[in-house]
Amino acid sequence: MAGRVAIIGAGPSGLAMLHAFERARAGGADVPELVCFEKQSDWGGLWNYTWRSGLDEHGDPCHGSMYRYLWSNGPKECLEFADYTFEEHFGRPIPSFPPRAVLEDYILGRAKKSGVRRHIQFDTAVRWVDHDATSDTFRLIIEDLGRGESREEEFDHVVVASGHFSVPNVPSYPGFEQFPGRILHSHDFRDSQEFAGKDLLVVGGSYSAEDIALQTKKYGARSVTISYRSAPMSFPWPDGIEELPQLDRVEGRTVHFVDGSSRDVDAIILCTGYRHHFPFMAGSLRLSTSNVLYPPNLYKGVFWVDNPKLMYLSMQDQFYTFTMFDAEAWYARDYVLDRITLPDRAEMEKDIAVWRAREDSLDGPSEQIDFQADHIEDLLAEVDYPAFDMALTREHFKTWEHHKTESIVGYRDQGFSSPCTGTPAPIHHTAWWEALDDSQATFLDQREKNPTA
Ligand code: FAD
Ligand code: NA7
């Protein structure tokens, strides 16, 4: 097939896109030229851990937001690739909540198997994308970061898979300027051990606040106060973690909350979320959204309504991750391969409006999980992605939510069954709250603490 497809980013979404095309090629399809641009020197996106924060080695804002000792915060069974199971990769069932390095190994395992690395240009940043109506092509300005050289290239389709958890949303509160300790965003947080023995303020009421509060306490923080803006998470926190309402002001090292309470702290970690930030997209092509389950202007959550030859992957807030990226990638691929025809613009807008109105009416995590599962099933209904038990993943997510409300330090000690193979996951040898070593070797060593296994 003639034509060129540009894929921006070689994280899990970009790799899903490349893999989807390779699957079609293996099935005999004529696939257009694929070029994936990745500004980092290796693949894996956020899962490619870096100790760097602030600027990367090229002077660009550092992409990485992951930190040491990060373990999966959802059951791995809800993100399993239906065409490359955990059992296939590891040769046996493994526990449900792996540390970062284990998940990275799994993601890269499939990418290696399908041989997609040859399509990726590393240390290569996309600096600009616009569209030429006359030729109906996209013009990309690309920088080879190693050589410091820029060039222009033309493509027929563009897939933006650059992620949206890398550019921090950084609020300020009165008194921050005079605070005598460190104030950082979770994007720059790397190692909990830095905060051992300290009193911390964590600002935010979502996944990062929850996990970083637990992490820092686990690795020895003296106390952690979480400040929420809208609603408390209200998990059964272990001793030494408490939730207070919104921050009002800071005086010296004393932080004051809107209910009149105050605490003395040594450091402040802003877990205040991220911005969808695409400075490399021309204004008319640039997605502008907050972190929602159904962003505006994206038909099927993927196609830019003004010009569906431009596609965005994984721009949703995420319960489902790799499964959703696959569903979106398969659908995008089939559009590029002319296997799927999209409706006219009015129909696309009508469909988006229905999804977005439904999102506005959702009440709580259970309905949000079903909403995202419905989005995925809507896509999978029209593509040849291998079958798996999607209903089971919905059930798993709801059970997981329940486990979290029962024990926020213990939910990772549960095991779930695979929606692809049906195999139940073994329980990890060490309770997560006690497990300080997150290396792949220790995680996979089922004889650890159980020499007879
Ligand atoms: P990313 O992983 O962000 O990858 C995007 C890639 O695009 C990067 O490699 C980047 O360098 C590249 N790129 C960006 N801009 C350009 C450009 N202009 N030119 C060239 N290349 C570019 N998900 C889970 O499933 N389980 C978890 O436990 C989990 N924990 C998380 C913890 C944290 C702290 C964060 C921030 C996220 C977590 N996630 C988790 C969600 C995470 O978003 C997804 O797992 C996944 O990494 C998203 O993949 P992606 O490819 O869309 O984006
Ligand atoms: P989220 O899930 O987007 O949440 C951001 C949180 O930050 C949310 O609770 C916001 O409060 C809070 N926030 C935003 N601005 C402020 C200000 N000004 N003051 C106080 N609190 C604020 O981002 P996360 O980083 O938690 O999670 C993103 C991903 O990283 C996720 O996939 C995880 O797996 C890891 P609100 O509730 O809107 O009042």
Side-chain angles (χ1 to χ4, degrees), residues 46-47 65-67 70-74 164-165 169-173 185-187 202-212 227-231 233 246-247 270-275 290-292 316-319 321:
L46 290 170
W47 296 92
S65 296
M66 288 205 178
Y67 36 87
L70 183 147
W71 296 58
S72 176
N73 60 359
H164 61 92
F165 290 129
N169 170 48
V170 188
S172 182
Y173 283 90
H185 189 275
S186 52
H187 169 66
V202 165
V203 180
S206 186
Y207 295 106
S208 296
E210 170 201 317
D211 202 51
I212 288 177
S227 165
Y228 61 87
R229 179 172 66 176
S230 307
M233 292 178 274
Q246 191 169 11
L247 191 56
L270 299 172
C271 297
T272 44
Y274 294 88
R275 301 161 75 107
S290 55
N291 191 21
V292 294
Q316 298 78 3
D317 195 7
Q318 296 159 5
F319 283 96
T321 52

Side-chain angles (χ1 to χ4, degrees), residues 311-322:
M311 290 151 271
Y312 282 88
L313 293 188
S314 88
M315 290 303 155
Q316 298 78 3
D317 195 7
Q318 296 159 5
F319 283 96
Y320 288 89
T321 52
F322 310 154

Side-chain angles (χ1 to χ4, degrees), residues 318-392:
Q318 296 159 5
F319 283 96
Y320 288 89
T321 52
F322 310 154
T323 312
M324 179 169 71
F325 308 162
D326 272 6
E328 294 185 351
W330 251 250
Y331 204 100
R333 175 201 73 185
D334 283 358
Y335 166 69
V336 173
L337 295 183
D338 285 333
R339 294 174 174 179
I340 283 178
T341 309
L342 302 184
D344 65 24
R345 189 194 167 117
E347 277 301 309
M348 291 197 274
E349 284 182 338
K350 215 160 83 187
D351 189 69
I352 295 169
V354 171
W355 282 95
R356 284 176 58 79
R358 183 176 157 206
E359 178 173 10
D360 287 344
S361 72
L362 297 177
D363 184 19
S366 179
E367 288 186 19
Q368 291 168 342
I369 289 161
D370 278 331
F371 179 86
Q372 191 150 78
D374 288 349
H375 162 58
I376 295 169
E377 288 196 313
D378 183 45
L379 299 173
L380 292 181
E382 291 187 58
V383 299
D384 67 355
Y385 193 68
F388 66 101
D389 192 345
M390 188 74 192
L392 187 65

Side-chain angles (χ1 to χ4, degrees), residues 45-275:
L46 290 170
W47 296 92
N48 173 23
Y49 175 76
T50 176
W51 60 268
R52 291 176 192 277
S53 59
L55 299 183
D56 67 16
E57 62 272 42
H58 302 296
D60 274 2
C62 185
H63 188 82
S65 296
M66 288 205 178
Y67 36 87
R68 291 186 71 190
Y69 317 123
L70 183 147
W71 296 58
S72 176
N73 60 359
K76 75 176 200 313
E77 289 74 17
C78 295
L79 52 76
E80 190 163 14
F81 299 131
D83 65 354
Y84 187 75
T85 65
F86 280 95
E87 267 180 89
E88 177 180 347
H89 182 72
F90 290 103
R92 60 186 162 84
I94 65 163
S96 286
F97 292 87
R100 183 199 54 75
V102 176
L103 278 180
E104 182 190 25
D105 198 62
Y106 173 63
I107 299 161
L108 300 185
R110 187 178 75 164
K112 286 173 192 164
K113 189 180 172 197
S114 61
V116 300
R117 199 174 168 97
R118 70 186 193 279
H119 300 299
I120 307 171
Q121 297 183 14
F122 292 102
D123 293 306
T124 305
V126 174
R127 296 299 191 201
W128 190 248
V129 179
D130 58 24
H131 182 254
D132 177 42
T134 315
S135 60
D136 191 19
T137 55
F138 295 93
R139 180 183 64 123
L140 271 64
I141 300 181
I142 295 144
E143 184 177 352
D144 178 330
L145 297 164
R147 296 202 172 115
E149 289 170 7
S150 293
R151 62 179 191 276
E152 278 185 26
E153 289 192 29
E154 271 181 37
F155 289 89
D156 303 284
H157 293 91
V158 172
V159 178
V160 183
S162 56
H164 61 92
F165 290 129
S166 281
V167 177
N169 170 48
V170 188
S172 182
Y173 283 90
F176 270 15
E177 291 82 355
Q178 280 81 39
F179 182 70
R182 187 158 174 231
I183 303 178
L184 68 156
H185 189 275
S186 52
H187 169 66
D188 296 319
F189 173 84
R190 289 291 178 269
D191 191 334
S192 285
Q193 294 180 85
E194 175 184 352
F195 301 102
K198 308 257 196 244
D199 296 305
L200 297 181
L201 173 67
V202 165
V203 180
S206 186
Y207 295 106
S208 296
E210 170 201 317
D211 202 51
I212 288 177
L214 289 169
Q215 271 258 0
T216 46
K217 192 75 194 84
K218 180 173 160 181
Y219 286 89
R222 188 159 57 189
S223 74
V224 184
T225 304
I226 304 171
S227 165
Y228 61 87
R229 179 172 66 176
S230 307
M233 292 178 274
S234 298
F235 293 119
W237 301 109
D239 285 350
I241 301 184
E242 64 174 343
E243 275 186 283
L244 292 174
Q246 191 169 11
L247 191 56
D248 179 54
R249 66 189 189 285
V250 177
E251 289 169 349
R253 60 182 289 253
T254 307
V255 293
H256 296 267
F257 302 93
V258 292
D259 65 350
S261 60
S262 64
R263 298 288 183 274
D264 286 353
V265 299
D266 301 302
I268 299 173
I269 308 178
L270 299 172
C271 297
T272 44
Y274 294 88
R275 301 161 75 107

Side-chain angles (χ1 to χ4, degrees), residues 288-308:
S288 172
T289 180
S290 55
N291 191 21
V292 294
L293 293 170
Y294 218 91
N297 296 322
L298 294 181
Y299 177 65
K300 298 278 179 193
V302 173
F303 301 95
W304 186 243
V305 276
D306 294 332
N307 183 350

